């Protein structure tokens, strides 16, 4: 299934995956190795022992019969996991919940005593029904009985799928042994919560159930915070493949952030480094790394320049910091604080110190709270001036993971060039190996390389007479074929950028 993230929504091509999410990055890929393990386990599903209560199929129908637009029907073999996932994906479900019915699948309901890794929820919007995969390790496979398993019918954690009558929901790629135990989706024939009350676990928000309340809070805050996110967010979404020459740093981020964010269970008793310091010269990819990281981890991304926290009024900057931390403790996300040195300068007792010190203290306090909280959120602080930071800030437990984002070396320059060259046509006379040493000598950063190609492209438009055609209104789409960047275009661009750098 191909999914493309565009702006704040996921547009899905040729599929029925549905989303109303406002988080920038919700496409979670299934780890192939996990899928392989699941397939090899070939979990078989057998009849009930004793048969003292209705079959799983029957109980599944009771849950469907009890659905209204404020009810969640959860099917799970592990309530703790599904509760956690529900909060994580609250914004994707997007309905206020007053009741939940849970079909708890127990180990002893399986003939072969193996745990059924069922973890999904069904909800209703108007006349339509949706299933959300609450993972974390097992995929959902939803298809018509006659259809074969394929990638198209396999859904990963957090995926929301519109259900169609007659489809069978397979979890953990199990093989059905018995018709009585299939989860077959039949749209509600009648609304009848009586059986659900009797045979499923029912919870109500009225009985001050904290999980439901937390779910609603997260759902609402993710919808409202999305508005603010738009104004603070740089809207294009990047992946690690958009970043050149920083493979070592990306490997560290995979280790310390991506895997813990995607598989929290594996890291349950581990003290995670939730504060990461990215330091190094400007325009070399720190912000890009933050954006790509959030995207790859499936986390919301909040961009904030530290100077925006500084209101000049004692107390209100602290409050702004506290509010942002509150948000990321509610919902997993990445808060990226650019130019961090503006608010995290060493406390030194100088004249301005009172103002700065209290902000530093506030930040330290917030980081401690974040570290203690269960929410898998990260704060990335970016700075060109690591030397100015307060020592307490860079200690472990605060911003304990320090990653240097250096000026690109020759390999890095080439990798960055190739990334920005994608989708553009170049004349054959261009040899990148001639350009690289020039860029290296002129101390090109990543942004300069991107700029080289942009200016080179504009030069090509001028040289090829495309600008004249556009001005005269004679440009037609066929002319697009003519556009190709030549060596001379890049050399001119290079001279311009190199001179600008000297002038600075
Ligand atoms: P920083 O946060 O370190 O100041 P940015 O991440 O904002 O730098 O980089 C600015 C722009 O320069 C990016 O949006 C991208 O176009 C380009 N760029 C910088 N570094 C890289 C890189 N390593 N790979 C690809 N593009 C880069």
């Amino acid at each position: 299934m191909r999914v493309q993230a565009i702006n704040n929504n996921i547009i899905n091509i040729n599929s029925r995956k549905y989303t109303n999410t406002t988080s920038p990055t919700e496409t979670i890929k299934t780890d192939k190795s996990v899928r392989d393990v699941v397939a090899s386990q070939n979990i078989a599903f057998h009849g009930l022992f004793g048969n003292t209560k209705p079959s799983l199929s029957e109980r599944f129908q009771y849950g469907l019969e009890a659905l209204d637009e404020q009810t969640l029907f959860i099917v799970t073999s592990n309530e703790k996991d599904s509760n956690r996932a529900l909060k994580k994906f609250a914004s994707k479900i997007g309905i206020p919940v007053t009741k939940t019915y849970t079909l708890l699948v127990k180990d002893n309901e399986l003939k072969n005593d193996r745990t059924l890794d069922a973890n999904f929820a069904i909800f209703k919007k108007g006349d339509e029904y949706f299933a959300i995969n609450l993972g974390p390790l097992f995929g959902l496979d939803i298809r018509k009985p006659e259809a074969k398993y394929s990638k198209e019918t396999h859904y990963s954690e957090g995926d929301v799928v519109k259900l169609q009558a007659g489809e069978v929901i397979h979890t953990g790629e199990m093989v059905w042994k018995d018709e009585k135990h299939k989860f077959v989706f039949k749209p509600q024939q009648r609304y009848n919560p009586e059986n659900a009350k009797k045979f499923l676990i029912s919870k109500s928000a009225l009985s001050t159930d904290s999980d439901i309340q937390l779910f609603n809070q997260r759902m609402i805050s993710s919808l409202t915070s999305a508005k603010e996110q738009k104004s603070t967010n740089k809207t294009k979404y990047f992946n690690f493949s958009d970043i050149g020459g920083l493979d070592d740093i990306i490997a560290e981020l995979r280790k310390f952030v991506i895997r813990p964010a995607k598989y929290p269970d594996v890291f349950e008793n581990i003290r995670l480094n939730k504060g990461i310091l990215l330091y190094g010269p400007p325009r070399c990819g720190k912000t890009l790394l933050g954006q790509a990281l959030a995207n790859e981890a499936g986390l919301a991304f909040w961009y904030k320049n530290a100077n925006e926290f500084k209101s000049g009024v004692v107390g209100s900057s602290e409050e702004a910091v506290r509010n942002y931390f509150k948000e990321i403790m509610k919902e997993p996300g990445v808060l990226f604080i650019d130019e961090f040195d503006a608010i995290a300068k060493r406390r030194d007792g100088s004249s301005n110190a009172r103002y700065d010190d209290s902000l530093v203290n506030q930040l330290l306090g917030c980081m401690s709270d974040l570290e203690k909280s269960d929410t898998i959120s990260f704060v990335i602080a970016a700075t060109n001036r690591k030397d100015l930071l307060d020592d307490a800030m860079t200690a472990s437990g605060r911003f304990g993971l320090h990653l240097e984002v250096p000026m690109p070396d020759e390999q890095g320059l080439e990798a960055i060039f190739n990334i920005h060259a994608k989708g553009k046509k170049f004349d054959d006379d261009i040899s990148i190996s001639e350009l690289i040493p020039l860029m290296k000598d002129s101390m090109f950063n990543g942004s300069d390389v991107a700029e080289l190609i942009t200016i080179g492209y504009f030069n090509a438009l001028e040289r090829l007479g495309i600008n004249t055609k556009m001005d005269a209104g004679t440009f037609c789409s066929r002319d697009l074929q003519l556009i190709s960047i030549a060596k001379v275009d890049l050399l001119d661009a290079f001279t311009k950028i190199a001179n600008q750098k000297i002038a600075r």
Side-chain angles (χ1 to χ4, degrees), residues 234 238 242-246 281-289 336 338 384 405 416 419-420 446-447 450:
K234 298 187 174 178
F238 296 97
D242 295 309
I243 302 174
L246 300 175
R283 318 294 291 156
C284 288
K286 296 185 289 299
T287 313
L288 204 54
L289 276 167
F336 186 94
D338 212 354
N384 316 325
V405 183
I416 299 170
I419 284 166
H420 290 278
S447 177

Side-chain angles (χ1 to χ4, degrees), residues 437-492:
L438 294 176
M439 292 196 270
K440 182 84 180 97
D441 288 348
S442 295
M443 301 190 45
F444 266 40
N445 57 33
S447 177
D448 294 329
V449 181
E451 188 70 358
L452 179 82
I453 293 174
T454 303
I455 297 180
Y457 185 79
F458 279 105
N459 289 344
L461 294 183
E462 185 63 34
R463 181 178 51 78
L464 295 166
I466 304 284
N467 284 348
T468 316
K469 285 188 178 182
M470 287 194 289
D471 291 347
T474 55
F475 176 82
C476 63
S477 58
R478 238 179 313 125
D479 293 325
L480 282 174
Q481 314 285 336
L482 301 175
I483 304 173
S484 174
I485 303 171
K487 186 172 176 175
V488 60
D489 301 324
L490 286 182
L491 287 178
D492 282 357

Side-chain angles (χ1 to χ4, degrees), residues 387-451:
D387 55 307
L388 295 180
L389 301 182
D390 194 278
D391 293 339
M393 202 66 86
T394 52
S396 65
R398 270 69 183 255
F399 291 89
L401 178 62
H402 302 184
L403 300 172
E404 186 181 2
V405 183
M407 286 290 286
D409 59 12
E410 297 203 346
Q411 270 183 346
L413 288 167
E414 184 168 347
I416 299 170
F417 183 94
N418 287 333
I419 284 166
H420 290 278
K422 254 184 231 150
K424 294 168 194 84
K425 219 161 49 168
F426 291 87
D427 284 1
D428 291 340
D429 64 347
I430 290 179
S431 154
I432 184 160
S433 56
E434 278 175 44
L435 276 169
I436 300 296
L438 294 176
M439 292 196 270
K440 182 84 180 97
D441 288 348
S442 295
M443 301 190 45
F444 266 40
N445 57 33
S447 177
D448 294 329
V449 181
E451 188 70 358

Side-chain angles (χ1 to χ4, degrees), residues 124-152:
K124 188 178 177 192
K125 285 183 173 181
D127 291 336
E128 295 181 325
Y129 293 79
F130 299 91
I132 178 164
N133 185 6
L134 303 177
L137 289 180
F138 290 84
L140 267 193
D141 169 27
I142 303 177
R143 56 187 144 107
K144 287 268 163 41
E146 64 280 4
K148 287 227 160 58
Y149 169 79
S150 81
K151 263 200 201 148
E152 299 299 313

Side-chain angles (χ1 to χ4, degrees), residues 58-280:
E58 283 165 316
R59 282 185 282 151
F60 184 70
Q61 298 309 324
Y62 298 158
L64 295 177
E65 282 176 7
L67 274 180
D68 60 27
E69 286 186 64
Q70 297 187 338
T71 301
L72 269 183
F73 172 34
I74 302 158
V75 180
T76 183
S77 49
N78 182 331
E79 273 191 289
K80 206 170 134 210
D81 272 358
S82 53
N83 266 331
R84 190 170 24 215
L86 277 173
K87 277 171 237 149
K88 181 168 166 190
F89 298 117
S91 65
K92 291 192 159 195
I93 295 172
I95 57 168
V97 171
T98 54
K99 260 182 277 121
T100 60
Y101 290 109
T102 302
L103 193 176
L104 187 60
V105 183
K106 297 227 173 94
D107 281 5
N108 66 5
E109 292 190 272
L110 303 171
K111 201 170 170 188
N112 62 356
D113 250 3
R114 294 183 82 158
T115 305
L116 164 65
D117 292 281
N119 240 344
F120 62 95
I122 297 184
F123 56 98
K124 188 178 177 192
K125 285 183 173 181
D127 291 336
E128 295 181 325
Y129 293 79
F130 299 91
I132 178 164
N133 185 6
L134 303 177
L137 289 180
F138 290 84
L140 267 193
D141 169 27
I142 303 177
R143 56 187 144 107
K144 287 268 163 41
E146 64 280 4
K148 287 227 160 58
Y149 169 79
S150 81
K151 263 200 201 148
E152 299 299 313
T153 61
H154 183 103
Y155 298 92
S156 308
E157 187 192 16
D159 282 353
V160 175
V161 188
K162 193 170 148 193
L163 292 170
Q164 282 160 15
E167 283 180 326
V168 183
I169 302 175
H170 306 250
T171 71
E173 301 204 6
M174 74 195 148
V175 176
W176 295 100
K177 283 282 159 108
D178 182 334
E179 286 297 313
K180 272 192 183 164
H181 304 100
K182 272 187 180 177
F183 297 138
V184 183
F185 172 69
K186 294 181 195 145
Q188 204 173 63
Q189 305 295 319
R190 54 176 184 160
Y191 171 72
N192 172 22
E194 293 315 310
N195 285 324
K197 281 184 199 150
K198 218 151 114 196
F199 296 108
L200 305 177
I201 303 167
S202 81
K203 286 186 183 167
S204 154
L206 297 175
S207 59
T208 62
D209 183 272
S210 65
D211 279 324
I212 297 184
Q213 280 167 4
L214 264 175
F215 170 89
N216 286 333
Q217 273 167 21
R218 293 209 176 152
M219 197 271 301
I220 288 161
S221 80
S222 62
L223 294 181
T224 48
S225 66
K227 278 194 210 110
E228 191 171 353
Q229 232 179 35
K230 268 193 186 156
S231 61
T232 55
N233 207 345
K234 298 187 174 178
T235 43
K236 193 178 167 207
Y237 301 123
F238 296 97
N239 292 311
F240 285 148
S241 60
D242 295 309
I243 302 174
L246 300 175
D247 294 351
D248 293 350
I249 298 173
I250 290 171
E252 294 288 286
L253 293 173
R254 280 193 201 284
K255 178 156 79 181
F256 292 113
V257 178
I258 305 270
R259 293 184 196 114
K262 283 190 165 177
Y263 300 103
D265 288 359
V266 179
F267 300 87
E268 201 161 61
N269 297 313
I270 298 296
R271 197 185 85 161
L272 291 175
N273 239 316
K274 293 182 179 172
I276 299 156
L277 182 71
L278 295 182
Y279 67 97

